[in-house]
Amino acid sequence: MIYIVGIGPGSRDYVTEKAVNTVKTSNFVLGSKRSLDIFEINGERIELSVNLKNELYEFLKNHKTSNPREKVSILSTGDPCFSGLLKTISSFDFIKKEDFEVIPGISSIQMAATKAKISWENYNILTLHGKEENLKKLLNYVKNDEKVIFLPNNLKNDLKFLIENGISDEKEITVLENLSYSNERIITDKISNLMENDYSYLLVCIIN
């Protein structure tokens, strides 16, 4: 059985007990280094690189034909069902729904809402990770003064797109970086000032 395990925003404090127990009893555990470091792993630890889609495809293809009864945990930051690995693994031509189980985790959207102390039920939610077409959706939301929470692809480029398409650089955005980590940073500022900073990939942005 394959388990797609949501590990929350990054800190062990936000990992569910079910996730911990699933990983502990797995024959194979696959994930990024920072994901793997959260857990006590008794099985084989397999660190994925930037080519994780190809690596997962090859591993799972081999697993399906040679060791289908062995337990595999694949670690997905946040919640696998939002900008996570569920979509990737579901796209593999040899994987059926009965082949895997999803263990949900706390998404970065949830974490951002708690840090900003907002109720996010009235916000539009977007991910720009690998979805350049969603930039136009973001632009329309901002032009219509709608509330948005989004995961940027490259924040500086995304902000530049907004400015080039008529959004004032005086517009304020809250940027939440490295949520739950020791170097967590939360900044609320106008776009012109935000453009001057450098950021990690682990970002959530809120526009009110």
Side-chain angles (χ1 to χ4, degrees):
M1 174 61 81
I2 300 164
Y3 295 88
I4 308 173
V5 182
I7 67 165
S11 168
R12 186 178 175 86
D13 293 340
Y14 295 97
V15 178
T16 66
E17 185 175 356
K18 185 175 176 91
V20 170
N21 291 335
T22 301
V23 170
K24 190 182 293 186
T25 56
S26 290
N27 301 99
F28 300 93
V29 183
L30 296 82
S32 66
K33 183 181 186 304
R34 68 183 179 88
S35 299
L36 293 165
D37 288 345
I38 294 174
F39 293 93
E40 175 187 337
I41 297 174
N42 296 319
E44 184 175 344
R45 169 185 169 128
I46 300 174
E47 186 175 326
L48 299 173
S49 73
V50 292
N51 298 314
L52 67 86
K53 184 173 183 178
N54 292 336
E55 292 168 354
L56 283 172
Y57 186 94
E58 292 301 323
F59 177 89
L60 293 176
K61 185 80 171 176
N62 180 66
H63 171 265
K64 178 120 182 180
T65 56
S66 60
N67 303 306
R69 293 185 180 181
E70 290 189 311
K71 190 172 176 180
V72 174
S73 282
I74 301 170
L75 308 181
S76 181
T77 52
D79 189 313
C81 302
F82 184 80
S83 199
L85 289 178
L86 172 61
K87 185 176 181 181
T88 297
I89 292 169
S90 297
S91 72
F92 296 160
D93 53 7
F94 58 90
I95 295 289
K96 300 177 181 177
K97 285 189 175 180
E98 57 266 29
D99 293 331
F100 64 87
E101 178 181 329
V102 180
I103 299 174
I106 297 173
S107 72
S108 56
I109 300 295
Q110 290 172 280
M111 192 69 183
T114 64
K115 291 291 183 177
K117 298 181 181 177
I118 60 171
S119 175
W120 55 288
E121 59 192 25
N122 295 322
Y123 283 75
N124 297 289
I125 311 298
L126 275 179
T127 177
L128 304 183
H129 292 175
K131 291 182 173 292
E132 190 173 340
E133 66 274 14
N134 280 351
L135 273 170
K136 292 183 179 179
K137 291 183 180 179
L138 175 63
L139 177 64
N140 288 332
Y141 288 142
V142 178
K143 281 186 172 179
N144 293 326
D145 290 323
E146 296 186 56
K147 297 179 178 181
V148 190
I149 303 175
F150 69 96
L151 306 182
N153 189 41
N154 179 301
L155 182 56
K156 287 187 177 182
N157 289 343
D158 298 339
L159 295 179
K160 183 180 178 183
F161 174 85
L162 294 180
I163 293 171
E164 289 175 347
N165 287 275
I167 302 303
S168 169
D169 65 3
E170 296 289 307
K171 182 76 175 177
E172 281 198 346
I173 298 178
T174 298
V175 178
L176 303 100
E177 181 180 27
N178 299 321
L179 288 170
S180 84
Y181 288 96
S182 59
N183 60 340
E184 177 180 287
R185 180 171 61 158
I186 300 174
I187 306 169
T188 299
D189 208 338
K190 54 189 179 182
I191 291 176
S192 59
N193 290 334
L194 293 172
M195 292 281 286
E196 296 178 0
N197 299 326
D198 292 321
Y199 305 95
S200 74
Y201 184 67
L202 302 176
L203 295 175
V204 184
C205 296
I206 300 174
I207 303 177
N208 293 311

